[in-house]
């Protein structure tokens, strides 16, 4: 009996197992969203667009906090030094640690944009207006802006690139040729115009930080300015290259392009939404403080398109791509920071004297006290010997109770040994604190760094500004100069100089162009513009055929065995650099060339 | 749903009780072992029986006929006994009852009990324990006689593996089983599992074998106490097809011990071991390092960092605080660390009810001084077999394991020791820790709990209820069913606190003329707590029908059919808080409200399978087997979900033929066998057939708002399905001269098709596609395995030697290859994961040498010369060559030696591997020390003919940034993997102690190694660039007691 009962139970359980059969194999991923879900729900579509924003590269983290300044004549990376890059030794196998906009990453972002356009119509949007625009229109405008931004990044580095407006399926033919430079610029401008027509003028509340009409216009300005520049217009440098249409215009008129650039900049100005931060300093205003606040403040009237950060990401606890780690990466070693992004002497020397005259090491008064009476922006950008910074940590405070940058050394007389001893400053490479993190140039970065942040323990919430109004005014002035409208140009340059507490300029013609380019270098110092400016102006030799310099600073021993209170400062070479014309454009990687035989490589690679 | 979860909860509660019980038992045991041993002395047999006889005789080896020395002869139930002498003769010292029973026992032989029955001479032939052909081997969903097996199957007894003192059982497998490659990359307590590969690598994706414990698939090899293991079977060919879509990488079947009828028998083993790294890299000293830093700076036209006077001070140690010379490995690592392993086994029962119970405890300390790293594990198992009626058997198995892993909160200690400056102090004279390299990383502090703690607790509970029902009304028919629930819980607590390091300005001294130090806070501004928890379970249900019948005693058939469903679910969550006001309350409630965070997710899986097997043999001479499985996996889309996997194998025992028996009878067994089959591999990320979106990096708006973002995880591949392993195997097994010599060899040819891989190589980046896996690859893996054993006994000296070796080499037959790549760079036709390397062909002696040969743009004297492979007079990506070697060995083998003489025994395992390479790169330069090996004989102006490159700075140099063969090292090795030397106490002593058996032994792991590698263990692939932990060697003393 028992046997039979158990057997019956057994049979039943087998039947149950079989009958449940195959439905239970149908599992759903519980941590993912299906494509159908995402593109029906407007909330999720907005999150998807956020993902495109998150894919824009920024210089604050990249795990090493590298500014493009280190890849041009603005700064030196103490850690990586980028010797190969700064000697134009990059090849199609090796970009020498270039880790900003990368071909593959940008095309991933472009695919995200393309997918949005293909699917957004499935969204169940309503027509509620926020900041004057319905959500669908606003998001569409944002993605046009983003797609234009990504292509602008590519074209700035590579010249004409394949324009891809649709998404690929697995079975498609993936090969595609590069479009001409002109076609790319036209496409980007069209995208900007579409964005302008769809985006709100101002975003409020939780939409702050999204693209606006102003952001799209600012992008268009930069695109047209770059396109009008020497590199892409009647440039003789690559005359032997069989596909000049990939690198620049081969027909048309540069003046028309400057006019377009000028009009685009004027359109931003005419929006009337932006103004210079503390544009009209009163006598006695802390001008250099105002200047550094532009880059530290959470929001200013000058912001056009910015990326925000939260201080909780960064510092000791996390190490992620969306953090602002610049305080720990760039700060001086004497504060237990990494001393990595150090401005070079060549930039420092370019800051004018406060009266507008150039600084000159051959001028004995300048050389004796080089940091005296300089352009106020110098003080807002650079940390240098003897400047008061923030209080030291516990170990530094005994040596330096105030918190003064020490990048020099003291010759001191030791009475007990009757010998001279050299005492090195806390922020040198012979410091008692982390000497291996000491910079080589004698300067550290002040711009973008919030002194309230202790980089050892915290990231920064200082935003990164992709576009600010100051740049637009300069763009406008540049176009005016190229169109021969010197008076208009000077007016706008002098707006910038006035805010900086510097006297007006009065030059014209060629001299005005030089003065403008100098002004742009100073006002936009370390903001990632210079890298592109020296290329589009085709002044590579001027920027790279130089030795990168720093300073050697010694408080000398006086004949009476006291130590001088004013240091002797002499410029030193810290890195040899050199230029090759191929470096005006990036190489397409060998791997990519192999996968797509329709691609044409840039000259020199 | 509700019902299910409450059932699980009640089971969990039950388990918890078992766990507590288990731990209590261990505690009591360890305290009372001595007492127990002492307490049982004193049973004395009666000596007054009138009907007594004296007994003597000779003991011989049943297979060789030779006499045996040292055999233990004991009168059952008494302490009377003796040992056979060198001639194999024995006599019982005092007269015994004529009804007494004599027990003959010898290690490695089957004990025999012989009733005296009035005889005065009793000669005994003992049979070797190796049951040989009659041995029953566990195979998928059943057992088979070894004689009739046709697949390529290797087995090993659990006790063999227990020779290894390794805490992690997976490390005991290397060199033991032919065709099983085991590589131990790390010795970190709790994190030291070996990488296991059956017949090497066969696929581009996951190559790990399927683990089946007591019939339940997907259990973990590590969650089993090695003392509980009865035996292990490895299915290497088509015989694995019965496991279907998960079996392509082979199957490891583990069977745990079960109860034996008889009076309760208790075995207690206690092990105490010392562990240390197998090898510690030798770093440059302070003076050498300072000199090299100067050289690096000079190559960059920068002033020297150290003066010659300073370097002299580093060298002579005249000013140890300002100019120290620190050996960081010496400061951070202990000379030895403790590990221990205690086990308690209890077995016994009646014909109706048999039980096996075990409890164990293991502890392993980290190799650091004041180590925060350690691992402990407690486990129990209860296997009960009940015969309910003559036809119904019920087995109930429970096991539980608790694993505690403790780590410091800062990783990369070994790397930090390699990077730390020899010119910097580890400790100041007052014992306070010195400065860091960066981010507070001073390894003497990182290794301790000064930075908080990282506690990981895991609970594994496994259960199985099995019902066996022999159908009484059909002879040979039986059905059985299994129901199993396995549960897995993990608790993780990461408490990160600030820590403090001390620095000196190099100038100021205190009143004792010692450096005046300042204290600096490191790491975090205040404590933070991250706590996470995960909870998973797996339910396995299966039902099998077996039928076995012999027709006319010649045709033997065996049939099996079954159905199985497996479901898994798991969930996890974590929570984070910082801004703790005090370090006293280390719980979430005490954290601040700012920036608190949490997260969670879940997953589920399901499989449904039908399978079967047909065995036929004629007179056990002609053998045939067919296995099949119809397998359904949730991983694939509905129309690609089910697949059929067949396997067929044939065998011929030629030695059973008359002509063989008449002519070559000394080869008493010879079987040839062959197999072919298809198995599947579904080990890829699930849901590749769906287009999915998941959360990406957050984006911040309005300066304060953290907002989620969605990103495409991949595009869908609606056709995704499993990989197919086409496995062909031929081999033979032979025994000569009884079982004195055994031979076995296999040749296999595995063709893996439909390999799931990404089409990255040919899809241009312009597409922006995030590719799904597609069934695009084909890999051929072929090789052979060989095993030979010899055993003999001379004058009481018993010995056996067996050697196994395996060679396998895979090559990619087809996959996605970048078009336009030159032949010498193609991966097709070469082994999987073979890298591209520039060919290092020497060192540029001077500028003239640089100028004379194509070179990297900024090459200088002292740099490594890259070969201009394509002779185009420039060095670029086209000069890289695809290497033929990878980090997995192609040749592996082991030699197992067993020796016994009288009561002594020794067992040694030599294990080796060849054919692998490792790339050892250190982050040396201005931010890290150099290996002494790289410093000695390096190029500099004084040594222009060097064969080693100049001093360098991290990856600045082109030959550090670009993979080249200079840093590729041969990792061939031969090592004494395991050794055990032991002594079985003679019966006389056992009798006095009142135990049945007492054995003391010394055992060791990785005792010595022959290899060309100087600074790294040949099994590890760590180098200075990554986080790592040295593989360890262990010296162990153990005692085993049986009652």
């Amino acid at each position: 009996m028992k046997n039979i009962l158990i057997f019956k139970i057994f049979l039943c359980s087998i039947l149950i197992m079989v009958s449940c059969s195959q439905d239970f194999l149908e599992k759903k991923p519980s941590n993912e969203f299906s494509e159908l879900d995402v593109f029906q729900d407007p909330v999720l579509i907005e999150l998807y667009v956020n993902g495109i924003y998150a894919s824009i590269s920024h210089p604050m983290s990249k795990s090493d906090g590298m500014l493009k300044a280190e890849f041009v004549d603005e700064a030196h990376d103490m850690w990586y030094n980028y010797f190969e890059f700064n000697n134009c030794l990059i090849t199609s196998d090796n970009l020498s640690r270039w880790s900003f906009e990368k071909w593959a990453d940008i095309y991933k972002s472009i695919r995200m944009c393309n997918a949005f356009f293909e699917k957004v119509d499935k969204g169940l949007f309503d027509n509620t207006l926020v900041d004057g625009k319905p959500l669908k229109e606003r998001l569409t405008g944002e993605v046009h802006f983003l797609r234009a931004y990504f292509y602008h990044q590519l074209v700035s580095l590579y010249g004409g690139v394949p324009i891809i407006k649709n998404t690929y399926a697995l079975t498609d033919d993936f090969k595609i040729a590069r479009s001409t430079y002109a076609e790319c610029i036209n496409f980007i401008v069209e995208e900007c115009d579409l964005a302008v027509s769809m985006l709100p003028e101002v975003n409020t509340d939780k939409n702050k930080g999204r693209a606006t009409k102003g952001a799209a216009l600012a992008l268009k300005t930069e695109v047209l300015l770059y396109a009008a520049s020497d590199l892409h217009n009647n440039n003789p440098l690559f005359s032997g290259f069989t596909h000049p249409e990939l690198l620049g215009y081969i027909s048309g008129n540069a003046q028309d392009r400057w006019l377009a650039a000028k009009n685009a900049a004027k359109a931003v100005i005419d929006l009337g939404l932006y103004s210079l931060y503390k544009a009209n300093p009163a006598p006695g205003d802390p001008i250099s403080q105002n200047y550094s606040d532009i880059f530290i403040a959470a929001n200013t009237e000058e912001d056009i398109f910015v990326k925000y950060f939260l201080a909780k990401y960064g510092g000791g606890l996390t190490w992620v791509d969306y953090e602002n780690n610049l305080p720990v990466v760039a700060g001086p070693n004497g504060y237990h920071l990494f001393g990595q992004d150090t401005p070079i002497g060549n930039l420092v020397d370019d800051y004018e004297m406060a009266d507008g005259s150039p600084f000159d090491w051959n001028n004995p008064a300048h050389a004796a006290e080089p940091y005296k009476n300089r352009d106020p922006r110098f003080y807002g950008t650079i940390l240098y010997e003897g400047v008061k910074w923030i209080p030291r940590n516990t170990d530094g405070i005994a040596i330096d109770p105030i918190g003064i940058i020490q990048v020099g050394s003291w010759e001191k007389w030791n009475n007990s040994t009757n010998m001279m001893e050299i005492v090195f400053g806390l922020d040198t490479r012979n410091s008692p604190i982390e000497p291996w993190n000491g910079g080589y140039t004698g300067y550290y970065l002040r711009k973008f760094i919030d002194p309230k942040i202790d980089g050892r323990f915290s990231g920064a919430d200082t935003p990164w500004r992709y576009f600010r109004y100051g740049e637009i005014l300069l763009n406008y002035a540049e176009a005016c100069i190229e169109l021969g409208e010197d008076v208009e140009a000077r007016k706008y340059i002098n707006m910038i100089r006035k805010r900086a507490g510097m006297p007006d300029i009065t030059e014209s013609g060629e001299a005005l162009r030089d003065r403008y380019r100098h002004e742009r270098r100073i006002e936009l110092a370390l903001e990632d513009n210079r890298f592109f400016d020296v290329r589009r102006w085709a002044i590579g030799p001027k920027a790279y055929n130089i030795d990168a310099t720093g300073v050697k600073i010694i408080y000398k021993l006086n004949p009476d065995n006291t130590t001088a209170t004013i240091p002797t400062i002499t410029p030193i070479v810290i890195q040899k650099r050199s230029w090759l014309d191929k470096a005006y454009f990036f190489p397409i990687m060998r791997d990519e060339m192999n996968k797509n035989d329709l691609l044409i490589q840039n000259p020199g690679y | 749903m509700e019902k299910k979860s409450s059932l699980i909860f009640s089971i969990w509660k039950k388990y918890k009780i078992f766990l507590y019980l288990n731990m209590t038992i261990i505690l009591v045991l360890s305290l009372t072992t001595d007492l127990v041993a002492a307490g049982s002395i004193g049973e004395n047999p009666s000596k007054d029986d009138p009907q007594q006889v004296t007994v003597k005789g000779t003991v011989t080896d049943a297979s060789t006929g030779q006499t045996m020395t040292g055999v233990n002869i004991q009168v059952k139930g008494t302490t009377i006994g003796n040992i056979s002498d060198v001639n194999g003769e024995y006599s019982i010292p005092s007269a015994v009852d004529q009804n007494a029973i004599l027990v003959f026992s010898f290690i490695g032989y089957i004990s025999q009990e012989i009733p005296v029955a009035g005889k005065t001479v009793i000669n005994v032939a003992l049979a070797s324990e190796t049951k040989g052909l009659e041995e029953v081997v566990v195979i998928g969903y059943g057992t088979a006689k070894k004689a009739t097996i046709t697949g390529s199957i290797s087995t090993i007894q659990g006790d063999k593996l227990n020779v290894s003192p390794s805490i992690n059982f997976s490390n005991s497998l290397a060199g033991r089983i032919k065709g099983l490659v085991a590589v131990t990359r790390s010795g970190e307590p709790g994190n030291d599992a070996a990488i296991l590969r059956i017949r090497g690598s066969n696929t581009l994706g996951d190559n790990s074998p399927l683990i089946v414990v007591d019939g339940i698939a997907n259990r973990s090899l590590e969650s089993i106490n090695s003392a509980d293991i009865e035996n292990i079977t490895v299915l290497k060919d088509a015989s694995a097809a019965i496991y279907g879509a998960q079996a392509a990488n082979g199957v490891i079947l583990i069977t745990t011990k079960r109860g034996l009828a008889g009076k309760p028998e208790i075995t207690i083993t206690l092990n105490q071991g010392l562990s240390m790294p197998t090898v510690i890299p030798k770093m440059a000293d302070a003076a050498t390092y300072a000199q090299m830093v100067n050289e690096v700076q000079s190559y960059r036209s920068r002033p020297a960092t150290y003066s010659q006077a300073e370097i002299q001070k580093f060298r002579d140690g005249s000013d140890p605080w300002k100019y120290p010379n620190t050996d960081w490995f010496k400061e951070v690592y202990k000379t030895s660390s403790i590990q221990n392993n205690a086990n308690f086994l209890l077995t016994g029962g009646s014909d109706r009810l048999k039980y096996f119970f075990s409890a164990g405890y293991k502890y392993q300390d980290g190799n650091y001084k004041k180590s925060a790293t350690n691992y402990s594990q407690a486990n129990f198992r209860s296997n009960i077999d009940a015969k309910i009626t003559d036809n119904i058997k019920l087995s109930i198995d429970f096991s539980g394991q608790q694993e505690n892993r403790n780590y410091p909160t800062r990783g990369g200690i070994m790397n930090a020791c390699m990077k730390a400056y020899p010119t910097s102090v580890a400790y100041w004279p007052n014992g306070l820790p010195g400065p860091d390299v960066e981010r507070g990383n001073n390894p003497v502090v990182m290794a301790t709990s000064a930075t908080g703690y990282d506690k990981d607790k895991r609970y594994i509970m496994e259960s199985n209820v099995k019902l066996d029902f022999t159908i009484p009304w059909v002879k040979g028919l039986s059905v059985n069913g299994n129901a199993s629930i396995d549960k897995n819980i993990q608790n993780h607590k990461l408490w990160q606190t600030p820590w403090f390091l001390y620095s000196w300005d190099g100038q100021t001294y205190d009143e004792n003329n010692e450096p005046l130090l300042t204290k600096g806070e490191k790491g975090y501004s205040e404590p933070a707590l991250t706590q996470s928890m995960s909870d998973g379970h797996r339910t396995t249900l299966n039902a099998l029908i077996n039928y076995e019948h012999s027709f006319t005693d010649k045709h033997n058939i065996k049939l099996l059919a079954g159905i199985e469903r497996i479901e898994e679910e798991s969930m996890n969550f974590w929570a984070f808080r910082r801004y703790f006001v005090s370090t006293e309350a280390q719980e979430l409630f005490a954290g601040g409200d700012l920036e608190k965070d949490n997260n969670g997710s879940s997953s589920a899986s399901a499989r449904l399978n039908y399978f079967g097997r047909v065995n036929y043999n004629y007179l056990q001479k002609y053998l045939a087997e067919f296995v099949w499985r119809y397998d359904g996996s949730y991983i694939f889309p509905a129309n690609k979900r089910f697949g059929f996997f067949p396997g067929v194998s044939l065998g011929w025992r030629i030695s059973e033929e008359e002509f063989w028996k008449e002519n070559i009878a000394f080869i008493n067994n010879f079987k040839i066998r062959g197999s072919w089959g298809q198995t599947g591999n579904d080990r890829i990320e699930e849901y590749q057939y769906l287009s999915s979106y998941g959360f990406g990096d957050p984006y911040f708006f309005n300066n304060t708002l953290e907002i989620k973002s969605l990103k495409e995880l991949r595009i869908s591949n609606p056709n995704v399905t499993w990989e197919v392993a086409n496995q062909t195997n031929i081999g033979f097994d032979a025994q000569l001269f009884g079982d004195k010599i055994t031979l076995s060899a296999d040749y296999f040819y595995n063709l893996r098709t439909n390999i799931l891989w990404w089409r990255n190589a040919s899809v241009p980046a312009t597409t922006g596609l995030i590719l799904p896996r597609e069934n695009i690859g084909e890999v051929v893996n072929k090789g052979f395995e060989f095993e030979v054993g010899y055993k003999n006994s001379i004058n009481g000296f018993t010995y056996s030697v067996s050697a196994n070796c395996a060679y396998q080499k895979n090559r990619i037959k087809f996959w996605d290859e970048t078009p336009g790549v030159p032949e010498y760079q193609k991966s097709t036709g070469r082994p999987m994961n073979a890298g591209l390397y520039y060919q290092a062909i020497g060192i540029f002696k001077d500028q003239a040498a640089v100028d004379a040969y194509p070179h990297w743009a900024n090459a200088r004297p002292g740099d490594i010369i890259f070969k201009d492979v394509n002779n185009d007079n420039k060095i670029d990506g086209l000069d890289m060559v695809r290497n033929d070697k990878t980090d997995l060995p192609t040749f592996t083998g082991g030699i197992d030696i067993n020796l016994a003489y009288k009561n002594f025994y020794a067992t040694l395992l030599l294990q080796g591997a060849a054919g692998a390479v490792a790339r050892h790169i250190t982050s040396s330069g201005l931010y890290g020390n150099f290996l002494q090996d790289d410093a000695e004989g390096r190029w500099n102006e004084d040594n222009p003919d060097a064969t080693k490159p100049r001093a360098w700075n991290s990856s600045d140099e082109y030959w550090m940034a670009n993979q080249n063969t200079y840093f590729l090292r041969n990792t061939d090795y031969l090592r004494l993997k395991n050794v055990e030397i032991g002594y079985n106490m003679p019966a006389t002593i056992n009798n006095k102690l009142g135990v049945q058996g007492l054995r003391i032994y010394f055992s060791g792991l990785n005792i010595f190694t022959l290899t060309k590698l100087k600074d790294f263990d040949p099994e590890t692939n760590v180098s200075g660039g990554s986080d790592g932990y040295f593989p360890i060697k262990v010296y162990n003393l153990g005692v085993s007691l049986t009652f």
Side-chain angles (χ1 to χ4, degrees), chain B residues 538-614:
Chain B
R538 172 183 46 242
T539 313
T540 306
L541 300 170
N542 68 35
L544 312 174
I545 300 171
N546 282 290
Y547 178 72
E548 197 170 351
H549 192 73
S550 285
F551 298 94
T552 65
D553 283 339
K554 285 179 180 163
H555 304 275
N556 305 305
I557 62 158
K558 249 170 104 176
L559 301 172
L560 162 79
I563 172 173
E564 180 170 74
R565 61 176 280 177
I566 305 169
E567 250 181 309
E568 281 183 73
E569 274 175 32
S570 72
M571 58 76 80
N572 67 71
F573 68 84
W574 66 262
F576 169 82
R577 286 210 196 189
R578 60 187 291 189
Y579 302 116
F580 281 75
V581 282
S582 129
T583 53
E584 292 305 311
Q586 301 166 2
E587 301 298 338
L588 284 170
F589 81 91
D593 285 325
L594 264 176
E595 294 171 26
K596 60 187 182 184
D597 203 356
N598 55 57
N599 207 342
S601 65
S602 71
S603 68
S605 74
R607 290 187 165 85
L608 180 65
N609 325 301
Y610 310 87
F611 51 87
R613 177 166 51 218
V614 181

Side-chain angles (χ1 to χ4, degrees), chain A residues 478-545:
Chain A
E478 181 174 340
C480 289
I481 292 169
E482 302 299 337
L483 291 166
E485 300 167 13
D486 287 1
V487 177
E488 181 80 347
R490 278 198 299 271
K491 179 180 152 196
Y492 280 86
I493 295 169
N494 286 333
M495 284 164 72
I496 297 286
R497 285 179 69 85
K498 183 175 187 191
R499 190 263 298 273
M502 293 296 288
D504 284 355
I505 57 162
T506 53
E507 287 88 340
S508 301
E510 199 68 25
L512 177 60
R513 177 190 286 149
D514 287 348
R515 196 71 196 265
Y516 158 78
R517 286 184 176 179
H518 178 267
E519 187 63 26
R520 188 173 172 99
R521 170 160 165 77
I522 297 302
E523 172 67 17
L524 304 180
L526 308 160
E527 288 181 54
D528 279 8
N529 294 76
R530 177 81 179 164
F531 180 87
F532 296 106
D533 288 344
V534 300
R535 283 168 171 71
R536 66 187 179 88
W537 290 334
I539 57 164
K542 192 165 175 263
Y544 288 87
N545 269 341

Side-chain angles (χ1 to χ4, degrees), chain A residues 386-574:
Chain A
V387 68
K388 184 167 178 286
W389 181 231
I390 51 178
R392 298 275 171 184
N393 313 137
T394 47
D395 49 357
I397 222 159
I399 300 168
D400 168 24
I402 304 168
I404 286 176
I405 294 299
Q406 300 183 353
V407 286
S409 58
W410 285 265
E411 295 177 354
K412 286 189 174 164
W413 188 259
N414 184 331
N415 284 322
S416 56
T417 58
N418 259 345
M419 275 165 63
M420 187 187 84
E421 283 177 352
I422 296 177
V423 176
F424 288 95
L426 287 173
D427 307 309
T428 64
R429 289 192 66 83
N430 299 81
S431 164
I433 300 169
E434 300 187 17
W436 49 85
N437 279 336
Y440 289 97
T441 65
Y443 302 107
Y444 289 99
L445 185 66
R446 176 171 213 157
K447 200 172 183 176
F448 317 121
I449 309 248
D450 184 348
K452 294 188 296 297
I453 296 288
D454 186 343
R456 293 177 304 157
F457 303 127
S458 163
D461 52 6
T462 311
W464 175 254
R465 288 158 167 95
Y466 292 103
F467 296 115
R468 66 176 174 101
Y469 192 53
E471 183 198 338
I472 304 299
L473 298 186
L474 290 170
N475 292 354
Y476 179 71
E478 181 174 340
C480 289
I481 292 169
E482 302 299 337
L483 291 166
E485 300 167 13
D486 287 1
V487 177
E488 181 80 347
R490 278 198 299 271
K491 179 180 152 196
Y492 280 86
I493 295 169
N494 286 333
M495 284 164 72
I496 297 286
R497 285 179 69 85
K498 183 175 187 191
R499 190 263 298 273
M502 293 296 288
D504 284 355
I505 57 162
T506 53
E507 287 88 340
S508 301
E510 199 68 25
L512 177 60
R513 177 190 286 149
D514 287 348
R515 196 71 196 265
Y516 158 78
R517 286 184 176 179
H518 178 267
E519 187 63 26
R520 188 173 172 99
R521 170 160 165 77
I522 297 302
E523 172 67 17
L524 304 180
L526 308 160
E527 288 181 54
D528 279 8
N529 294 76
R530 177 81 179 164
F531 180 87
F532 296 106
D533 288 344
V534 300
R535 283 168 171 71
R536 66 187 179 88
W537 290 334
I539 57 164
K542 192 165 175 263
Y544 288 87
N545 269 341
I546 55 155
D547 291 337
T549 63
V551 280
K552 185 173 187 175
I553 299 169
I554 303 171
Y555 293 85
K556 292 221 159 137
L557 191 69
N558 293 322
D560 63 353
N561 286 351
T562 59
T563 302
T565 51
I566 292 180
T568 306
I569 302 177
T570 41
I572 53 167
V573 172
I574 59 125

Side-chain angles (χ1 to χ4, degrees), chain A residues 20 30 32 93 97 313 394 436, chain B residues 437 519 565 602 706 877 955:
Chain A
C20 77
S30 49
E32 299 174 359
D93 298 304
R97 298 184 184 282
Y313 295 110
T394 47
W436 49 85
Chain B
V437 176
K519 182 180 182 181
R565 61 176 280 177
S602 71
E706 178 170 346
S955 52

Side-chain angles (χ1 to χ4, degrees), chain A residues 308-380:
Chain A
Y308 297 110
F309 297 92
L310 294 189
K312 74 169 178 173
Y313 295 110
L317 285 170
T318 57
W319 196 244
V320 288
D321 243 9
Y322 42 89
E323 71 200 355
N324 178 346
N325 245 325
L326 211 56
V328 64
V329 171
N333 59 313
Y335 290 86
H336 291 283
L337 306 172
F338 300 171
Q340 214 174 311
D341 307 283
T342 52
I344 55 177
N346 315 61
L347 172 67
V348 171
D349 297 348
D350 274 0
Y351 281 87
E352 293 169 0
M353 305 305 290
D355 62 5
S357 65
F359 170 85
D360 187 359
W361 281 106
N362 296 319
N363 179 328
H366 290 183
E369 291 183 89
Y371 309 133
K372 223 173 156 183
N373 289 329
R374 301 290 290 273
D375 182 330
R377 288 173 290 190
F378 164 74
Y379 304 100

Side-chain angles (χ1 to χ4, degrees), chain A residues 3 7 10 18 20 26-27 30-33 47 50 78 81 93 97 111 170 208 298 307-308 312-313 317 319 336 394-395 436 440 456 590 592 594-595, chain B residues 391-392 421 436-437 439 469 480 503 518-519 522 565 595 601-602 641 692-693 699 702-703 706 708 710 712 715 759-761 765 768 819 877 927 955-956:
Chain A
N3 283 349
F7 187 63
F10 201 91
V18 178
C20 77
E26 195 65 46
K27 298 284 176 193
S30 49
N31 307 321
E32 299 174 359
F33 297 90
L47 297 195
N50 295 348
M78 181 275 297
N81 81 65
D93 298 304
R97 298 184 184 282
R111 181 188 150 83
L170 274 182
K208 219 166 166 187
K307 179 182 177 62
Y308 297 110
K312 74 169 178 173
Y313 295 110
L317 285 170
W319 196 244
H336 291 283
T394 47
D395 49 357
W436 49 85
Y440 289 97
R456 293 177 304 157
R590 185 190 298 279
E592 185 75 354
N594 282 338
K595 290 173 181 176
Chain B
N391 296 321
I392 298 169
Y421 303 105
D436 51 354
V437 176
R439 302 203 150 209
F469 188 70
N480 67 54
S503 55
T518 45
K519 182 180 182 181
K522 303 291 164 185
R565 61 176 280 177
E595 294 171 26
S601 65
S602 71
R641 192 161 280 158
S692 282
Y693 292 75
Y699 202 76
N702 204 9
N703 205 37
E706 178 170 346
K708 294 247 181 289
L710 272 175
E712 190 177 29
I715 66 164
R759 229 182 330 146
N760 286 340
Y927 314 102
S955 52
D956 282 1

